[in-house]
């Protein structure tokens, strides 16, 4: 067992609000809360070079969540399918570099969950406004499923749906707040998950937006 997601988790992190949500999946409440400002500043720089856009699924639906990427690879979808690309299809240029702040927090969060030496090469940046949602899906376009995913929430709170390995498994509902981090890997790596329609709100830093960074080893 190399994931700290057993019942001893609470004792391994005395005084820290860390919760195992499933084998391989850990919820680190407030893990980046003190760094929301620099993280949001980095998102702003990324979006200046690679703007948020609403991508189209292979089935022809436009996603309600706006997306961009940074890192060596970026996740995209269009009529041809879901995949990682090294260039932004809007500009033809490489995705913006991954900020050091992102890689550092991702590695620290992964290590806290028992995944040593996590080195993400892709970061999908999701932007939600009230009413937008992410339907249940699995992250399965990466090559190496031994590597975890680190997911950072900023801005308005959201209800995150954490399901099982089958689409029909009833998901748990987690209220993710600004600064919360999820780490999941191992037996949770291919769990179905999604986000309920975002409620209206006004975050002091982001106003009417929620941002989510999902950091992955894609290549
Ligand atoms: C979101 N997150 O929180 C969407 N995927 O906006 C994801 O789809 C996700 O949070 C894999 C691992 C963690 C995640
Ligand atoms: Fe996902």
């Amino acid at each position: 067992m190399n994931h700290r997601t057993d019942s001893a988790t609470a004792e391994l992190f005395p005084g820290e609000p860390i919760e195992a949500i499933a084998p391989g999946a850990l919820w680190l409440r407030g893990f980046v809360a003190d760094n929301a400002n620099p993280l949001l500043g980095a998102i702003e720089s990324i979006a200046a070079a690679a703007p948020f856009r609403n991508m189209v699924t292979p089935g022809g639906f436009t996603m309600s969540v706006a997306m961009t990427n940074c890192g060596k690879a970026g996740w995209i979808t269009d009529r041809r399918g879901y995949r990682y690309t090294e260039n932004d299809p809007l500009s033809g240029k490489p995705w913006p570099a991954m900020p050091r702040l992102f890689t550092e927090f991702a590695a620290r969060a992964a290590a806290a969950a028992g995944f040593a030496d996590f080195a993400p090469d892709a970061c999908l940046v999701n932007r939600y406004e009230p009413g937008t949602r992410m339907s249940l899906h699995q992250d399965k376009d990466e090559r190496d499923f031994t590597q975890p995913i680190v997911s950072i929430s900023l801005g308005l709170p959201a209800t995150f749906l954490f399901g099982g390995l089958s689409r029909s498994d009833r998901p748990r509902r987690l209220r993710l707040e600004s600064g919360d981090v999820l780490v999941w890997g191992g037996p949770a790596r291919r769990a179905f998950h999604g986000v309920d329609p975002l409620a209206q709100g006004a975050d002091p830093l982001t106003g009417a937006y929620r941002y989510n960074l999902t950091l992955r080893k894609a290549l």
Side-chain angles (χ1 to χ4, degrees):
M1 180 84 177
N2 63 337
H3 314 125
R4 290 177 175 172
T5 49
D6 52 318
S7 57
T9 296
E11 292 136 60
L12 288 169
F13 299 96
E16 280 192 48
I18 293 184
E19 183 180 332
I21 54 181
L26 214 61
W27 182 5
L28 310 167
R29 285 196 185 83
F31 195 78
V32 301
D34 292 343
N35 291 275
N37 260 315
L39 289 165
L40 289 164
I43 292 172
E44 202 174 324
S45 302
I46 292 161
F52 284 101
R53 80 290 306 262
N54 295 91
M55 299 187 196
V56 176
T57 66
F61 296 99
T62 300
M63 298 185 78
S64 66
V65 176
M67 299 177 172
T68 185
N69 290 278
C70 65
K72 186 164 166 46
W75 185 87
I76 67 160
T77 174
D78 59 18
R79 290 305 301 245
R80 282 156 51 210
Y82 304 122
R83 62 198 179 279
Y84 284 93
T85 64
E86 299 199 8
N87 294 326
D88 178 351
L90 280 187
S91 65
K93 295 192 294 192
W95 295 105
M98 177 109 60
R100 201 178 307 271
L101 196 61
F102 289 14
T103 25
E104 277 173 9
F105 275 123
R108 251 194 259 170
F115 297 98
D117 303 319
F118 179 52
D121 56 17
C123 177
L124 173 65
V125 187
N126 293 143
R127 188 187 70 190
Y128 295 73
E129 24 192 320
T132 64
R133 62 190 288 268
M134 178 84 69
S135 52
L136 277 185
H137 67 277
Q138 296 168 294
D139 287 21
K140 54 180 185 187
D141 301 316
E142 300 75 31
R143 288 191 186 144
D144 182 358
F145 293 113
T146 70
Q147 293 303 301
I149 297 178
V150 173
S151 158
I152 298 176
S153 293
L154 296 164
L156 287 181
T159 300
F160 189 81
L161 309 175
F162 184 86
L165 294 178
S166 166
R167 183 180 289 280
S168 57
D169 293 338
R170 179 195 294 273
R172 280 189 58 180
R173 309 170 80 81
L174 317 175
R175 185 178 164 85
L176 297 184
E177 299 198 351
S178 193
D180 286 5
V181 176
L182 291 180
V183 181
W184 67 23
R189 183 61 179 73
R190 272 171 276 198
F192 277 90
H193 58 282
V195 178
D196 264 356
L198 202 73
Q200 298 280 351
D203 180 86
L205 297 180
T206 67
Y209 290 114
R210 169 180 183 257
Y211 295 93
N212 170 260
L213 306 172
T214 44
L215 294 122
R216 304 158 175 155
K217 175 94 180 68
L219 302 177

